[in-house]
């Protein structure tokens, strides 16, 4: 009996911890359409003078969609202008320090930081690699690590992505991934991972491109690992994220930052069939259960929408046994995206 009680207690504590895992989100939901990104929600221009040229990114109406992603189809977008930063005299970094309540994001040995965003990169972007999304480790200057670069082919028909830890030349490119073809003017999901490793100048940067969210992190194949050796973030540095204008035109939205793949990509309540007190979605046979009424959409794992309807808390379905993606918007305005299993 003691063993049973212990197992229950450990399991309950685990699911409570998962449900309470802090997530930073930036969906630009309340930003003024057509207004500046900087000045909204503590976004600010870089204090480094050489990165404070040009003009702030603007906010545009409308959200970006990526099947199964917890930050999909929510809020508005920040618009990076391809004309800004084409030369060094106009390049600009816009910074947001990441906080979870009163706690600033920090690099901890043995942990990973995940920053995900949906980006739609314009075919009018620069034809050589320029970075547009990075981590930031300084509040008084700029210390970028984990730099996502993009460029567009000469004829504007193909998109190429690269990553470095901080180098502007030692690119690990998307062309190294067999069979991966990327295109501009299409929504792409990027997941930038900073892994803190004990020692000096050895922290690891990994970039996942258009991950298959029906698979685990370890099963992903569209990934790049930076190879350049650079200094690491200190344990005391309060970290943030940058949107950088250097000639890459893009709409960026659905930003989520946290400490685990499942929490950032799938939503912190992504628990299969566990009707605990913190789960807003669970299943009972072929019924999809929610803790309040609202609008529910059901997608198969290929991304096809199967159901779009209102629910009062119990949606009866005739769906076949298998895994599904649920997008639920409650009457209180809360949006949850979760993966469920129907029996």
């Amino acid at each position: 009996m003691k063993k049973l009680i212990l197992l229950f207690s450990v399991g309950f504590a685990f699911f409570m911890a998962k449900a309470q895992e802090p997530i930073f989100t930036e969906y630009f939901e309340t930003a003024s359409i057509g207004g500046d990104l900087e000045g909204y929600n503590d976004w600010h221009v870089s204090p480094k003078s050489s990165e404070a040229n040009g003009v702030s990114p603007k906010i545009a109406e409308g959200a970006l969609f990526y099947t199964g992603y917890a930050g999909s189809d929510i809020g508005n977008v920040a618009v990076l202008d391809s004309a800004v930063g084409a030369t060094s005299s106009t390049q600009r970094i816009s910074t947001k320090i990441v906080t979870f309540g009163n706690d600033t994001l920090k690099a901890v040995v043995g942990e990973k930081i995940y920053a995900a965003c949906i980006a739609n990169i314009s075919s009018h972007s620069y034809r050589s690699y320029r970075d547009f999304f990075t981590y930031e480790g300084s509040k008084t200057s700029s210390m970028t690590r984990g730099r996502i670069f993009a460029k567009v082919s000469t004829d504007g028909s193909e998109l190429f992505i690269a990553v470095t830890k901080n180098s502007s030349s030692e690119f690990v490119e998307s062309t190294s991934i067999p069979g991966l073809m990327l295109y501009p003017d299409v929504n792409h999901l990027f997941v930038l991972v900073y892994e803190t490793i004990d020692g000096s100048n050895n922290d690891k940067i990994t970039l996942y491109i258009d991950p298959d969210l029906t698979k685990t992190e370890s099963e992903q194949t569209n990934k790049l690992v930076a190879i350049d050796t650079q200094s690491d973030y200190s344990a005391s540095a309060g970290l943030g994220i940058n949107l950088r204008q250097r000639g890459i035109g893009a709409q960026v939205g659905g930003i989520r930052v946290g400490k685990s793949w499942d929490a950032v990509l799938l939503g912190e309540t992504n628990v299969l069939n566990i009707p605990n007190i913190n789960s807003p979605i669970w299943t009972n046979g072929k019924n999809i259960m929610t803790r309040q009424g609202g609008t529910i959409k059901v997608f198969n794992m290929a991304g096809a929408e199967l159901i779009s309807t209102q629910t009062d808390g119990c949606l009866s379905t005739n769906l076949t046994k298998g895994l599904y993606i649920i997008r639920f918007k409650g009457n209180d305005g809360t949006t949850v995206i979760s993966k469920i299993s129907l029996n």
Side-chain angles (χ1 to χ4, degrees):
M1 178 61 72
K2 284 184 178 179
K3 184 176 182 180
L4 179 61
I5 292 172
L6 176 61
L7 288 172
F8 174 81
S9 299
V10 171
F12 181 77
F14 171 78
F15 286 117
M16 286 292 288
K18 290 292 287 183
Q20 295 172 357
E21 183 172 343
I23 295 292
F24 165 86
T25 62
E26 181 58 272
Y27 301 143
F28 312 114
E29 290 177 282
T30 59
S32 298
I33 304 304
D36 289 345
L37 166 65
E38 293 163 11
Y40 168 74
N41 199 23
D42 294 327
W43 283 88
H44 57 274
V45 66
S46 172
K48 186 175 181 179
S49 60
S50 61
E51 299 290 353
N53 303 308
V55 296
S56 169
K58 301 295 184 181
I59 299 296
E61 187 174 12
L64 302 177
F65 181 84
Y66 188 92
T67 299
Y69 175 49
S72 173
D73 203 24
I74 304 174
N76 298 298
V77 294
V79 180
L80 309 185
D81 189 338
S82 61
V84 177
T87 64
S88 60
S89 63
T90 60
Q91 68 185 22
R92 190 178 188 94
I93 287 178
S94 303
T95 297
K96 167 71 177 181
I97 299 301
V98 173
T99 58
F100 306 114
N102 295 322
D103 297 327
T104 304
L105 179 66
K106 291 183 172 64
V108 178
V109 171
E111 292 187 356
K112 296 179 180 180
I113 300 170
Y114 297 78
C117 69
I118 308 174
N120 188 308
I121 298 171
S122 169
S123 57
H124 298 292
S125 294
Y126 215 73
R127 267 44 179 175
S128 62
Y129 280 127
R130 299 291 182 91
D131 56 335
F132 67 94
F133 189 97
T134 79
Y135 285 110
E136 177 58 68
S138 175
K139 295 180 180 178
T140 57
S141 182
S142 183
M143 183 181 181
T144 57
R145 294 293 182 267
R147 300 169 67 183
I148 305 178
F149 293 80
K151 71 176 181 179
V152 174
S153 61
T154 302
D155 65 0
S157 65
E158 195 171 352
L159 172 67
F160 304 96
I161 298 296
V163 68
T164 70
K165 188 174 181 182
N166 192 46
S167 171
S168 296
S169 59
E170 296 182 65
F171 304 115
V172 181
E173 302 181 69
S174 57
T175 52
S176 66
I177 301 175
L180 180 64
M181 294 289 292
L182 302 172
Y183 302 98
D185 305 314
V186 173
N187 293 348
H188 296 285
L189 179 62
F190 299 104
V191 187
L192 186 62
V193 183
Y194 187 101
E195 182 177 359
T196 307
I197 300 171
D198 192 21
S200 301
N201 304 336
N202 60 349
D203 288 353
K204 181 179 177 181
I205 299 293
T206 302
L207 175 65
Y208 295 91
I209 304 171
D210 290 344
D212 180 348
L213 297 183
T214 68
K215 298 180 179 179
T216 64
E217 179 181 4
S218 63
E219 294 174 310
Q220 302 298 325
T221 56
N222 292 349
K223 68 177 182 179
L224 305 174
V225 180
I227 59 172
D228 53 312
T229 300
Q230 307 284 339
S231 60
D232 301 330
Y233 284 140
S234 72
S236 61
L239 305 184
I241 52 176
N242 291 328
L243 293 180
R244 192 173 192 183
Q245 293 188 106
R246 291 187 67 224
I248 297 299
Q251 295 182 333
V252 180
I255 299 172
R256 293 173 61 86
V257 182
K259 291 293 188 76
S260 77
W261 178 273
D262 285 351
V264 171
L265 276 299
L266 301 177
E268 58 185 313
T269 54
N270 181 55
V271 180
L272 298 185
N273 307 325
I274 308 293
N276 66 62
I277 60 173
N278 291 293
S279 295
I281 302 173
W282 71 98
T283 63
N284 180 11
K286 291 191 175 183
N287 299 325
I288 302 173
M289 313 297 292
T290 56
R291 297 197 179 278
Q292 62 172 310
T295 302
I296 192 167
K297 294 186 178 184
V298 182
F299 302 85
N300 64 20
M301 300 311 288
E305 185 178 297
L306 306 178
I307 297 174
S308 179
T309 189
Q310 295 290 311
T311 179
D312 60 2
C314 178
L315 176 65
S316 298
T317 79
N318 60 358
L319 296 169
T320 58
K321 179 180 179 180
L323 296 174
Y324 297 88
I325 299 293
I326 306 298
R327 185 179 191 277
F328 174 69
K329 184 173 184 179
N331 291 332
D332 65 357
T334 301
T335 298
V336 176
I337 297 177
S338 184
K339 184 168 64 176
I340 65 165
S341 176
L342 291 180
N343 299 317

